[in-house]
Amino acid sequence: MPVASGPDLTRVRQRIRRAAAGLGLGPVRQAEPVTAAGEPARTTLAHGGGGHVEIAPVTRGAARGPRLSLVDSGPGVHDVEPATTDGHTSGGGPGRGLSGARRLVHACEPDTEPGRGAPITVVARTADVPAARSGAW
């Protein structure tokens, strides 16, 4: 999906939610990848000049969820470690974008170097929850 305008950010979030729902994730688990991908998607637009998001299912045993790849061709991140730390900001915000995303999902990893853009992969997985036993209440 392209990320070239503000309305694209809304469409990306909606598509991620539908992908997560299609994999059987409940509403709370759907919100995790939507929220985690929101900041990198916004950064793709604001600092990377736009780009695109690829969404694919990932499964490992009973665990399943969406894998999101956010790709741009902007200036890249010069130093990844501070960029993934609470409080670091490149645009005047509160500095909780990538660090907050990492707390919500299985993986949130930038693969970047200066001058090469800042592709970020977000992997949200959840394990199947066993059905409640009859009479458990």
Side-chain angles (χ1 to χ4, degrees):
M1 295 188 63
V3 178
S5 67
D8 288 343
L9 296 175
T10 300
R11 284 189 282 278
V12 164
R13 288 182 181 103
Q14 291 168 343
R15 178 82 55 91
I16 293 167
R17 184 173 294 281
R18 283 194 308 268
L23 291 166
L25 278 66
V28 172
R29 291 292 182 182
Q30 291 170 27
E32 292 168 347
V34 171
T35 303
E39 177 60 19
R42 189 198 63 74
T43 300
T44 295
L45 181 59
H47 299 288
H52 68 276
V53 177
E54 300 167 2
I55 304 171
V58 63
T59 58
R60 181 170 293 156
R64 64 194 181 286
R67 176 181 31 233
L68 318 164
S69 298
L70 299 100
V71 182
D72 67 45
S73 55
V77 177
H78 294 281
D79 193 354
V80 172
E81 190 60 37
T84 57
T85 304
D86 279 344
H88 177 82
T89 182
S90 60
R96 297 215 177 12
L98 286 176
S99 61
R102 280 185 159 175
R103 286 189 290 274
L104 288 171
V105 294
H106 179 71
C108 179
E109 299 301 326
D111 176 21
T112 185
E113 58 188 51
R116 192 184 62 110
I120 297 174
T121 300
V122 174
V123 180
R125 288 196 308 235
T126 186
D128 284 338
V129 176
R133 291 180 290 160
S134 176
W137 297 99

